[in-house]
Structure formats: C-alpha cells, structure tokens
Amino acid sequence: MEGLKLANAELMVYIHPSKSGNKLKAICRELSSLLFQYDETFDGVLLAFDVTVKSKGAKILAGLNPYFGVKVEASLLLFNPKPNSLVEGKIVKISPETIHVIVLGFSAAVVTDIDIREEFKYKKRNGEDCFVSSSHKRHVLKVGTMLRLQVESFDEEVMHIAGSLLPANTGCVKWLEKQSEEASHMDRDDHKRRKIA
C-alpha cells in the first residue's frame, strides 16, 4: 500500500526529571503521545516507532521546570497518502451515493458516486447494499470487502481521505490480485509458446 513510509530520525526528547529513573520508558511515553496524530515535523501520521538512546548524557534545560533532553535515534512508520497514491481499507458502509471505508483501522475514507466508475452499478443482493461491475459479475463491492482506492485528498486534521474508484487498478483487492495472477500466467504461457515456435 502506498502512503506508508519508514523514516529514520535523530530526535531530542525532553523528559521531566521525575522520570529520569527509567529514561527509555519515559522516552517511549513521550513518543507515544504523538501516535495517530499528524505531525508536520515528520510529514505524516506516526503509526509506530522503535527507539535507540544515542548517548548516555543529557542536556538540562533551564526554566521553571528543568527538563532534560535526551538524543535518540528512531525508526518511524508514517502514514501520509499523497494525491493519486493507492490505499487499501475495509468497506464499512454502502449507500447508492457513497462507499465508506476504514483505512488502517483509524482513517476514514469516502468514495462518492461521481468518483465511482460507470461499470459499477448499485444493487441490493440478499438484502445487502453493494456495487457490482457490469463487465465482470464477480467484481462485487460490499460491506467487509477490502477495497483499493485512489487518494484524491487527505485531510490531516481529521484523518479523512476523499477517494476515487475511477482508475482501472482500483476496486476489490482480491479480485484485482486474481486478475493480476491470471494475466501473469497468460504472459508466461505466451512466452513459452514463442520459445517453442
């Protein structure tokens, strides 16, 4: 999935002196407060981190609360989907006008009817709302389906994605992967035939 990236960073983490007994725990607590929030410094939403304390020493900051700074090296997993990138999520609601998706368990995404390909037609099957492809009857989008969609925009403040199903490489992830496998098998068979001939 696009939009995820690993980054290495050298950070200065500021800790209250009362937490100096266990620096690593205090550092992890400080970094944990940044999880699942967009941070301009990291240019993304922090999803996970792994920290190594770089030096044994610490720099004491003067002031009313004399915090001390500890240099750390951190590996960060960030989420920042750019426009035209592809993300995947689970469909949680379908209506004739929209498809609602949860990406990575925390970010909401919506695809509106103007961003759904013409081939997908809204239907009710067994009392369930779904979109069915008119060109491939097995390509069905319903609640619980893992959906690949193209990012139109990402609102960092509320973690909301506006998505699109207009590109041909979007839709049900299982169906897209099956089509990709079948195409690669056909390519291999064609290649073998050419070698024999």
Side-chain angles (χ1 to χ4, degrees), residues 32-50:
S32 292
S33 69
L34 301 174
L35 289 172
F36 301 106
Q37 298 175 25
Y38 183 84
D39 191 304
E40 287 183 15
T41 307
F42 302 142
D43 188 31
V45 177
L46 181 62
L47 299 180
F49 61 87
D50 185 28

Side-chain angles (χ1 to χ4, degrees), residues 17 23 41-42 45 55 65-66 96 99 107 119 139 150 180 197:
K23 278 193 297 189
T41 307
F42 302 142
V45 177
S55 66
N65 293 318
I99 299 174
S107 182
E119 74 175 88
H139 195 177
Q150 183 180 33
S180 177

Side-chain angles (χ1 to χ4, degrees), residues 91 93-94 98-101 109-111 116 131 141 147 165:
I91 297 176
K93 183 180 176 187
I94 289 182
T98 59
I99 299 174
H100 297 266
V101 180
V110 170
V111 181
I116 298 174
F131 279 91
L141 310 177
L147 183 71
L165 291 177

Side-chain angles (χ1 to χ4, degrees), residues 103-122:
V103 178
L104 294 174
F106 74 93
S107 182
V110 170
V111 181
T112 59
D113 56 353
I114 59 169
D115 290 314
I116 298 174
R117 282 196 305 275
E118 290 283 323
E119 74 175 88
F120 287 110
K121 305 296 180 200
Y122 174 80

Side-chain angles (χ1 to χ4, degrees), residues 183-195:
S184 67
H185 285 300
M186 292 174 123
D187 289 345
R188 277 189 241 137
D189 291 345
D190 287 346
H191 184 71
K192 285 178 185 175
R193 284 189 204 118
R194 287 184 200 140
K195 272 189 169 180

